[in-house]
């Protein structure tokens, strides 16, 4: 069965960097759509970055130029490289997979209810 478990979160100083990982255990469709989301307690979960079956990437305006989403198809791991972190990036970060067969194409980050598989999240704290 599909199991997503994020890792790489932690506490970092303002201006620092982190790389989040999400091994796609039990899931082999590398042409699917995948994404990273984040949520602060009391606020809605928001899309941070997305990648589609053609490896096109999309970012929220707040992270453009600082975050990079990538998929290592050999290792079957989804990554989120985060640089120049600031306090507003503090949140629980989640990886998500659409979970459909075939090649997925999108032109923007899709809403949370569009994705079928989610990890439990990893906390990122910037201070």
């Amino acid at each position: 069965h599909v199991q997503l478990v994020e890792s790489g979160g932690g506490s970092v100083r303002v201006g620092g960097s982190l790389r989040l990982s999400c091994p796609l255990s039990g899931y082999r469709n590398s042409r699917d759509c995948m994404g990273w989301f984040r949520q602060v307690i009391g606020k809605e979960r928001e899309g941070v970055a997305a990648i589609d079956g053609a490896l096109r990437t999309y970012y929220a305006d707040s992270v453009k130029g600082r975050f990079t989403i990538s998929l290592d198809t050999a290792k079957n791991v989804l990554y989120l490289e985060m640089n120049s972190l600031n306090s507003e990036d503090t949140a629980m970060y989640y990886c998500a997979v659409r979970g459909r067969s075939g090649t997925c194409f999108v032109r923007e980050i899709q809403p949370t209810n569009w994705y079928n598989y989610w990890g439990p999240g990893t906390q990122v704290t910037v201070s």
Side-chain angles (χ1 to χ4, degrees):
H1 67 285
V2 179
Q3 185 174 17
L4 309 179
V5 180
E6 306 89 343
S7 64
S11 296
V12 64
R13 293 289 183 93
V14 171
S17 299
L18 284 173
R19 187 177 76 160
L20 305 183
S21 301
C22 177
L24 308 175
S25 177
Y27 195 69
R28 292 294 175 181
N29 184 10
S30 61
R31 297 172 298 163
D32 201 356
C33 286
M34 306 175 190
W36 286 94
F37 292 75
R38 66 187 181 187
Q39 187 170 22
V40 175
I41 294 176
K43 293 188 177 182
E44 291 188 358
R45 191 170 297 187
E46 64 171 353
V48 173
I51 187 168
D52 75 359
L55 300 183
R56 297 179 298 190
T57 57
Y58 305 92
Y59 299 93
D61 288 342
S62 59
V63 307
K64 278 181 183 175
R66 300 188 298 121
F67 289 14
T68 302
I69 186 172
S70 62
L71 175 65
D72 186 325
T73 55
K75 295 181 178 179
N76 208 31
V77 178
L78 182 70
Y79 295 103
L80 183 68
E81 185 76 34
M82 305 186 296
N83 298 311
S84 301
L85 286 162
N86 59 58
S87 58
E88 294 182 347
D89 296 318
T90 295
M92 186 72 80
Y93 283 72
Y94 302 87
C95 63
V97 174
R98 168 75 162 154
R100 297 288 178 88
S101 60
T103 303
C104 175
F105 297 106
V106 293
R107 293 188 175 185
E108 59 186 1
I109 298 174
Q110 299 301 303
T112 56
N113 60 8
W114 195 74
Y115 293 88
N116 292 301
Y117 296 104
W118 291 85
T122 185
Q123 178 67 37
V124 171
T125 301
V126 185
S127 61

